[in-house]
Amino acid sequence: MKYNEGANLDPSQMGGGGGRGNGGKIAIGGGAGLVVLIVALFLGIDPGQLLGSSDPGTGSTEAASPYAQCSRGSDISANRDCRFVAYTNSIQSYWKDALGGYKTIQVHTFTGSVATACGNATSAVGPFYCGADQTVYLDTGFFDELTGTLGAEGGDAAEAYVLAHEFGHHIQQQTGTMRQVQSQGSQTGPKSPGVRLELQADCYAGVWFAHATQDPSSPIAEVSEDDLRKAVDAAGAVGDDRIQQKMQGQVNPESWTHGSAANRKKWLLTGYQTGDPNQCDTFAKDAV
Ligand SMILES: [Zn+2]
């Protein structure tokens, strides 16, 4: 991707130091109290297993915020951390235009582990969105895993895809789709509501890519064919079948939580090609 040197960056959308939001927990269950919700990018693990005790602060090693210095697109070449600000600003700028009432949130980067309203999480979770505090959590070390263990080519567009996918969950939180899905039984299997939710987040990521450079004030100046190819490559690398083959040497579709490589690529591309979030109907009968 190419960046717009003169564009303003807004580092206030990044967390990683200081307090976590200002309350505002949203009860997404019915009368059953606060339903804790966490949507990891790729791991086929029940959230309950990912989260430790909710003892706040324990083991939290938040990275010192390196983003305060990121004020212009031109800062990215000197300070590569600033690219995360560019992705975040661009993604949120698009959704602010596209979705009435869009609530701007923070991306909170960390290394090791982090305390969230969804409990403590470690890097093993991968990037995730916590609905209870409406924050995207990003262990930046994940990208080494993406290109290492998971075998993706990587690159800025692959990283931006990962973030845009998590923001897709924030959209689902606001539209109520996430709440609906959480109330429906089994969340695993190729056609499960859980997988459809994940594929829709991939589609939303694609929709953002389609619009990433449209706003003249966007920090992203160019998304090339090769960038898009790398984003799609990353979507395939985090497909459940690919991960299972790599980690377990066998594929068990019944335990899928995020969808096959083919479907993840397909829905990212559907979003990109249509540029229309309304086309991200992964819940349609024959969508998966
Ligand atoms: Zn996800």
Side-chain angles (χ1 to χ4, degrees), residues 140-196:
T140 50
F142 170 75
F143 296 117
D144 293 333
E145 198 172 334
L146 183 65
T147 55
T149 318
L150 298 175
E153 274 189 70
D156 289 12
E159 295 175 349
Y161 152 67
V162 169
L163 259 190
H165 170 100
E166 299 308 335
F167 275 100
H169 291 311
H170 180 51
I171 301 304
Q172 293 168 329
Q173 162 91 337
Q174 291 176 92
T175 59
T177 304
M178 189 171 270
R179 183 170 47 233
Q180 283 167 20
V181 166
Q182 293 294 317
S183 67
Q184 298 166 5
S186 170
Q187 298 295 313
T188 63
K191 291 176 180 292
S192 65
V195 162
R196 291 170 188 267

Side-chain angles (χ1 to χ4, degrees), residues 39-42 165-166 169 198 201 258 264:
V39 186
L41 175 71
F42 72 94
H165 170 100
E166 299 308 335
H169 291 311
E198 293 298 333
H258 286 68
R264 299 201 72 167

